[in-house]
Amino acid sequence: MNKNLLYRSIPKVDVLLENPAIQKMIDCYSRETVMEAIHMEMDKLRKFIANTSDEESVKQQIDLLVPHIACAVSDMHTPNMRMVVNGTGTVLHTNLGRAPVSREHMERVTALVSGYSNLEYNLEEGKRGERYSHFEKLLCKLTGAEAAMAVNNNASSVLLILSSLAKGGEVVVSRGELIEIGGKFRIPDVMEQSGAKLVEVGTTNKTHYDDYESAITEDTKALLKVHTSNYRIVGFTDSVAIDELIPLAKEHDLPVVEDLGSGVLIDLAKYGLTHEPTVQESIAKGADVVCFSGDKLLGGPQAGIIIGRKKYIDRMKRNQLTRALRIDKFTAAMLELVLQEYLSEEKAVKNIPVLRMITEPLEEVKRRARLLARRMRAYKLPAKIEVKPCESQIGGGSLPLERIPSMAVVLRPEKISVTELEERMRRLPVPIIPRTANDTIILDARTLKQSDIKLAADQLKEYEVLEKR
Ligand SMILES: *Cc1c(COP(=O)(O)O)cnc(C)c1O
């Protein structure tokens, strides 16, 4: 078996370039891309030959060289970030992009950002304007706050607030609220970055009014409340509500800052969910500065929204850090559109995907689950296909104990394992991300869009995902 002969059987680059399929690729893409793919695939082939002495399999690989080059070229031009079908039932799935935005809002944003806009231009006065101006009044109207702004995300809000109000001084916070919220975002570490010194009071499960009172010194610059949105300490607990802290703060002329995490503007209890403290309540109780995420329960773009007394918000707007944390035009445009929906709660619940999903009646979810099951059965997919009740989660660190009754299509594959099926679903052109439990694949219909039904079933059929290979 002569390896040199095998190496020599690899087509030369000039010969490949004469190939009509390759020429077509050059026309469609570019000569550079195709050359890169050719060299990549030839390297692979050389490595293959180095590791085998089976002439027949080398021949096969050589026959596949042009199709492999085509795949490589097409891969280079396919974005890695793709749409996926969320079958997990977790509405705010941080790994899957948190809050989806509505197509209608996106189309309006697209129109705005694909040309020039008055992002920072005051059209009435013909001079420089503020990028927050598009949604500041709206936020004030909705929440009752005096002023508002927005930064890149809520972690940035905390950083900016503390840097603006408490740099070089102390901030008093309860031990029960010193949280980590995923992605290594820890309140104590952010405080340190801001240049404020953290003064922890109370214990993990109990913090009293007196604890705050005795921690206040000449160096105290603010009292901080953090809504422990991603966990609950249950049982023997006590914390000091914001309205109790206000008189204490007033007495010492200190601002009370509340990090709400998830910013809810509507009363979720109306829809059968646990009441989550709303932004309006926080302001009404007297919080001086309140911050929350744009893409948690608010259902908007990634952002950190900061509202409160004008004198504090003005200090933040002037802080040099703001320039580094500022939102871009996409976010500013999207925030305005999403906040406008809240002018009518009915419209918000209908037009903001996150709210629509968490408030959708079980009957509707069941209808989608049944449609999906029917389609899968019609395709005679080799699996036991059932529609069963399940529970969805809100996720994104919001309402951690909340479970929403939902309906799922439960698949028990007949020819392959659940692990294999889960992996194959993940590798589809439009990946399907399910939940797995008790040796079944669960597709929770609460997070499936109407268009996902056909997309999911058709892909399972077309790519023979459930067949033995
Ligand atoms: C989620 C959360 C944050 C961080 O918000 P991002 O928008 O993800 O940066 C900060 N504080 C609390 C309490 C949170 O729940």
Side-chain angles (χ1 to χ4, degrees):
M1 174 72 237
N2 188 340
K3 284 236 171 179
N4 277 336
L5 224 61
L6 286 181
Y7 283 120
R8 255 182 276 147
S9 66
I10 301 177
K12 297 276 167 298
V13 175
D14 325 356
V15 177
L16 278 172
L17 286 173
E18 299 285 308
N19 183 302
I22 300 272
Q23 294 215 322
K24 219 169 166 183
M25 285 178 227
I26 293 175
D27 289 345
C28 275
Y29 301 99
S30 71
R31 197 180 165 87
E32 287 79 5
T33 320
V34 177
M35 285 303 283
E36 196 185 331
I38 289 177
H39 288 303
M40 238 165 63
E41 291 306 318
M42 302 226 320
D43 278 350
K44 277 195 208 159
L45 196 52
R46 279 189 210 100
K47 285 197 184 110
F48 184 83
I49 294 172
N51 292 319
T52 186
S53 37
D54 176 16
E55 207 172 329
E56 203 44 48
S57 65
V58 171
K59 267 206 190 111
Q60 263 176 18
Q61 289 303 309
I62 289 175
D63 286 344
L64 286 172
L65 189 57
V66 173
H68 281 165
I69 292 167
C71 281
V73 170
S74 142
D75 273 357
M76 282 182 220
H77 289 266
T78 308
N80 194 53
M81 191 159 149
R82 284 181 289 164
M83 179 179 131
V84 305
V85 171
N86 178 7
T88 65
T90 300
V91 178
L92 295 171
H93 200 303
T94 302
N95 302 146
L96 304 183
R98 267 203 202 156
V101 298
S102 88
R103 192 170 283 263
E104 199 229 314
H105 291 160
M106 199 60 217
E107 273 161 16
R108 288 167 67 187
V109 170
T110 305
L112 246 175
V113 299
S114 47
Y116 299 104
S117 65
N118 61 335
L119 177 68
E120 279 191 359
Y121 187 69
N122 184 325
L123 291 171
E124 259 149 55
E125 296 172 17
K127 58 179 197 195
R128 191 173 197 278
E130 215 180 54
R131 61 180 63 208
Y132 316 115
S133 65
H134 311 290
F135 52 81
E136 180 168 11
K137 280 208 192 80
L138 200 50
L139 266 170
C140 293
K141 183 175 171 155
L142 294 169
T143 63
E146 285 174 12
M149 66 183 293
V151 285
N152 188 45
N153 54 22
N154 198 35
S156 311
S157 306
V158 177
L159 181 64
L160 180 63
I161 293 169
L162 297 180
S163 155
S164 308
L165 305 184
K167 194 172 185 169
E170 294 175 353
V171 176
V172 183
V173 63
S174 159
R175 278 210 173 81
E177 299 172 6
L178 290 172
I179 59 165
E180 172 170 330
I181 43 172
K184 298 248 151 53
F185 173 77
R186 288 182 169 166
I187 291 287
D189 296 345
V190 174
M191 311 241 318
E192 198 175 296
Q193 293 293 325
S194 74
K197 184 168 172 274
L198 187 70
V199 177
E200 305 169 21
V201 296
T203 59
T204 308
N205 58 334
K206 286 207 171 203
T207 303
H208 304 283
Y209 181 89
D210 298 351
D211 295 327
Y212 285 94
E213 190 172 33
S214 54
I216 295 175
T217 68
E218 274 177 6
D219 293 329
T220 308
K221 302 280 193 209
L223 305 184
L224 174 69
K225 285 283 294 172
V226 182
H227 183 55
T228 54
S229 43
N230 62 349
Y231 76 105
R232 289 275 188 280
I233 298 175
V234 286
F236 187 61
T237 65
D238 215 344
S239 65
V240 183
I242 189 131
D243 28 352
E244 292 173 69
L245 277 188
I246 302 292
L248 177 66
K250 280 230 170 75
E251 198 180 305
H252 296 271
D253 200 20
L254 295 170
V256 172
V257 175
E258 186 164 40
D259 172 9
L260 278 177
S262 217
V264 216
L265 292 177
I266 62 172
D267 179 10
L268 292 175
K270 272 198 217 163
Y271 303 91
L273 293 142
T274 309
H275 177 77
E276 174 84 354
T278 65
V279 180
Q280 298 91 309
E281 279 165 13
S282 187
I283 292 290
K285 283 178 178 168
D288 299 287
V289 175
V290 177
C291 65
F292 51 97
S293 279
D295 59 348
K296 287 185 182 171
L297 283 168
L298 190 79
Q302 177 187 306
I305 297 167
I306 311 174
I307 59 170
R309 290 197 202 289
K310 187 167 185 306
K311 64 171 177 177
Y312 298 127
I313 301 291
D314 282 346
R315 268 158 79 179
M316 292 174 219
K317 286 180 180 169
R318 284 196 304 268
N319 190 325
Q320 285 300 312
L321 251 187
T322 301
R323 180 63 177 73
L325 305 175
R326 77 178 185 188
I327 51 166
D328 73 340
K329 56 179 178 285
F330 296 82
T331 307
M334 186 60 84
L335 259 184
E336 183 181 12
L337 293 180
V338 171
L339 290 168
Q340 265 177 356
E341 300 288 3
Y342 281 97
L343 292 171
S344 133
E345 180 171 325
E346 201 184 321
K347 268 176 63 188
V349 168
K350 188 167 139 244
N351 298 337
I352 298 174
V354 167
L355 294 184
R356 188 170 58 226
M357 279 188 265
I358 62 175
T359 61
E360 189 176 42
L362 185 60
E363 269 315 301
E364 276 298 299
V365 181
K366 192 172 180 176
R367 193 188 55 80
R368 270 200 312 280
R370 281 192 174 145
L371 274 178
L372 178 59
R374 196 178 308 149
R375 217 177 168 99
M376 286 179 175
R377 286 188 193 118
Y379 288 153
K380 300 202 166 27
L381 298 178
K384 189 170 169 211
I385 301 161
E386 289 174 291
V387 173
K388 282 189 171 171
C390 70
E391 287 179 325
S392 311
Q393 270 179 275
I394 294 192
S398 311
L399 294 172
L401 303 181
E402 193 83 37
R403 293 291 177 274
I404 314 173
S406 188
M407 278 290 164
V409 173
V410 178
L411 290 178
R412 203 181 282 275
E414 284 162 9
K415 300 185 177 173
I416 59 172
S417 71
V418 163
T419 322
E420 174 86 37
L421 177 55
E422 187 270 335
E423 190 186 321
R424 286 189 193 174
M425 286 166 78
R426 207 170 354 108
R427 291 172 193 274
L428 284 166
V430 181
I432 304 172
I433 316 295
R435 223 167 43 222
T436 56
N438 307 325
D439 224 23
T440 56
I441 290 277
I442 299 170
L443 293 168
D444 186 332
R446 188 169 291 280
T447 48
L448 296 181
K449 297 195 291 277
Q450 184 67 29
S451 56
D452 287 340
I453 307 284
K454 184 173 180 322
L455 184 62
D458 289 5
Q459 285 193 106
L460 292 181
K461 176 175 186 277
E462 186 181 341
Y463 296 94
E464 304 187 334
V465 175
L466 287 130
E467 301 294 341
K468 189 138 197 104
R469 282 180 200 160

